Amino acid sequence: MSTQLRLAFMFQMAEETGLTNVYVAQLLKRQAQLNSQTLSTRASPLDEAVMHYGESIKEITNEEFGNGIMSATVFYRSADKVKGGDREDRVVATFDGKHMPYTEQKSEHMAASKSTTTSKLTNS
């Protein structure tokens, strides 16, 4: 999940749950827990699934594709109704994004030179 998509999701969850955006970020990083009453009244099953499985999906994605992110620039999503093994209605939610590998960030590739950056910091 791209940073942009993750932030949008985080702010949407904060708005829908009435929790602060920082607390939602902590929840997504498993640094905090929802109390059971908030969880049962506020979070949708999709929210719970993404929070619960997100890090595992990211880990498997990194294993399959290499370290990177799923871009939200060219991003497709769908929700489809299918029949399960017991003929029950099931939802298939698909997030389809381009994989973008992380790049090593070397200072020599920066558009701003170190001297420009240093002078801006010392003149502030």
Side-chain angles (χ1 to χ4, degrees):
M1 187 181 292
S2 75
T3 301
Q4 200 173 30
L5 181 62
R6 190 171 47 245
L7 286 173
F9 176 74
M10 181 181 63
F11 281 104
Q12 179 184 352
M13 279 191 63
E15 185 177 313
E16 289 178 11
T17 60
L19 300 170
T20 68
N21 56 357
V22 173
Y23 191 72
V24 170
Q26 288 178 302
L27 290 169
L28 294 174
K29 292 177 183 273
R30 295 191 178 144
Q31 297 171 339
Q33 292 182 340
L34 282 176
N35 72 41
S36 58
Q37 185 175 2
T38 301
L39 183 60
S40 64
T41 60
R42 300 285 187 160
S44 75
L46 181 59
D47 296 335
E48 291 178 51
V50 171
M51 287 190 316
H52 184 76
Y53 293 106
E55 288 185 30
S56 298
I57 292 169
K58 175 69 173 144
E59 187 175 345
I60 290 170
T61 301
N62 285 347
E63 182 67 31
E64 294 287 325
F65 293 91
N67 290 338
I69 61 169
M70 180 172 44
S71 172
T73 303
V74 179
F75 185 78
Y76 303 96
R77 59 238 147 250
S78 67
D80 299 295
K81 181 179 178 180
V82 298
K83 290 291 183 187
D86 293 330
R87 305 299 303 153
E88 76 279 11
D89 287 339
R90 300 187 63 83
V91 177
V92 175
T94 303
F95 293 159
D96 180 347
K98 177 182 176 183
H99 182 264
M100 298 178 65
Y102 290 129
T103 58
E104 189 174 60
Q105 297 183 17
K106 295 184 178 182
S107 58
E108 64 196 50
H109 296 148
M110 290 180 60
S113 69
K114 286 184 181 181
S115 61
T116 304
T117 306
T118 305
S119 66
K120 285 182 183 177
L121 291 174
T122 56
N123 293 329
S124 296

